[in-house]
Each structure stands twice: as structure tokens, then as C-alpha cells.
Amino acid sequence: MQTISLCMIVKNEEMNLKRCLDSVAGLVEEIVIMDTGSTDRTVEIASEYTSKVYSHP
């Protein structure tokens, strides 16, 4: 069986991230988020969808 993963690199996407992740809910088996230094609520929002939220400066 194939696994479909959504991998995103994000920074300060508070305004768009929830809508984006809601649109793929049920279509992917795994969500992986790499945050590159957000100063808004991006990490908090991403954490509502997956435990695989990583930070990279």
C-alpha cells in the first residue's frame, strides 16, 4: 500500500495554513511541516494537524 505524505516548508503562513491543511484532510496519510522561523502562529496551527512539525533556522 502506498502512503501519501504532504511535506511543506512554511514561514509566517498563519493566514493560509489552516485553509490549506483543511483542504487535504482525508487525502493524505501523513503531514510533515518544516518551519523556517515563523514569528506568527504558524507552528501552533500546524501542530493542530500533526506532531511532525520541525524548525529550521
Side-chain angles (χ1 to χ4, degrees), residues 1 6 8-9 14 16-17 20-21 24 26-27 31-32 34 39 44 46 50-51 54:
M1 181 175 182
L6 170 67
M8 298 177 69
I9 300 172
E14 175 181 20
N16 302 305
L17 190 58
C20 175
L21 295 176
V24 298
L27 300 176
I31 298 173
V32 180
M34 176 66 69
T39 57
E44 179 183 336
T50 182
S51 62
Y54 304 98

Side-chain angles (χ1 to χ4, degrees), residues 11-43:
K11 182 175 183 180
N12 293 330
E13 290 294 337
E14 175 181 20
M15 301 301 291
N16 302 305
L17 190 58
K18 180 175 176 21
R19 182 172 44 94
C20 175
L21 295 176
D22 283 343
S23 75
V24 298
L27 300 176
V28 298
E29 286 78 34
E30 175 183 53
I31 298 173
V32 180
I33 306 288
M34 176 66 69
D35 181 74
T36 59
S38 293
T39 57
D40 62 3
R41 295 183 53 243
T42 296
V43 172

